């Protein structure tokens, strides 16, 4: 993730702590947008983000979508993050970005599902542990 984007997001988060859980979710959404392909479609559903994109690798199916990633953000993370120092929040956002980049690098978006059938999906969960909360509490 671009360093300037992360700083801007953290500063926005810190300046509006009255709505901190919502803002943490918005910041994570911006991180998601920065990590996934530019043509990714990101939809919200039941406290999850559904992410897929056009594969563009089969002339017979030019609009075939990738497998769907169901990205969940734990409520505990959204509630705990605002109580952390700015330095810890920056670290957490960086770890979330790293987690998503690593998962995406290992993700196989292609599938052989026939037209009209439900697209396969994978579930990824961003927890407090993935974000690094509760670890090195003195930072």
């Amino acid at each position: 993730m671009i360093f300037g984007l992360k700083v801007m997001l953290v500063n926005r988060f810190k300046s509006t702590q009255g709505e901190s859980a919502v803002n943490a979710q918005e910041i994570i959404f911006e991180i998601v947008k920065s990590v996934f392909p530019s043509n990714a479609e990101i939809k919200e559903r039941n406290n999850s983000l559904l992410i897929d994109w056009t594969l563009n690798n089969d002339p017979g199916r030019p609009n075939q979508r990738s497998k769907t990633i169901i990205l969940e953000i734990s409520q505990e993370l959204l509630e705990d993050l605002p109580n952390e120092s700015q330095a810890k929040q920056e670290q957490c956002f960086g770890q979330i970005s790293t987690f998503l980049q690593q998962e995406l690098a290992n993700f196989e978006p292609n599938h052989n599902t026939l037209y009209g059938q439900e697209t396969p999906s994978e579930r990824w969960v961003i927890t407090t542990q993935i974000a690094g909360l509760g670890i090195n509490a003195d930072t």
Side-chain angles (χ1 to χ4, degrees):
M1 178 160 105
I2 301 169
F3 178 74
L5 174 64
K6 184 164 56 171
V7 170
M8 177 198 69
L9 292 172
V10 169
N11 287 339
R12 188 173 104 198
F13 179 70
K14 291 301 284 181
S15 68
T16 57
Q17 286 225 303
E19 302 166 353
S20 53
V22 171
N23 289 317
Q25 194 167 10
E26 288 174 7
I27 291 168
I28 293 169
F29 183 79
E30 292 298 321
I31 292 169
V32 167
K33 287 190 336 188
S34 74
V35 169
F36 282 89
S38 60
N39 67 334
E41 185 174 313
I42 305 170
K43 301 178 222 167
E44 290 185 65
R45 184 182 78 188
N46 300 332
N47 298 322
S48 298
L49 298 176
L50 305 179
I51 307 164
D52 69 357
W53 55 91
T54 305
L55 292 171
N56 296 319
N57 63 0
D58 182 352
R61 293 180 64 188
N63 296 309
Q64 181 182 14
R65 308 294 294 178
S66 67
K67 290 180 191 172
T68 301
I69 297 167
I70 302 168
L71 180 64
E72 297 178 10
I73 305 163
S74 76
Q75 188 63 37
E76 182 181 17
L77 174 62
L78 295 174
E79 292 172 359
D80 290 350
L81 196 52
N83 301 320
E84 300 294 333
S85 69
Q86 183 170 353
K88 185 65 174 180
Q89 289 172 21
E90 286 183 37
Q91 180 184 1
C92 290
F93 292 135
Q95 287 188 232
I96 291 167
S97 178
T98 298
F99 166 76
L100 291 172
Q101 290 171 30
Q102 290 171 344
E103 291 295 302
L104 187 58
N106 294 319
F107 179 65
E108 175 51 61
N110 296 303
H111 58 89
N112 293 324
T113 306
L114 298 175
Y115 180 78
Q117 291 182 337
E118 185 173 342
T119 305
S121 62
E122 281 190 21
R123 181 174 171 253
W124 301 354
V125 181
I126 301 175
T127 63
T128 55
Q129 292 78 19
I130 287 170
L133 289 180
I135 302 169
N136 300 326
D138 57 341
T139 58

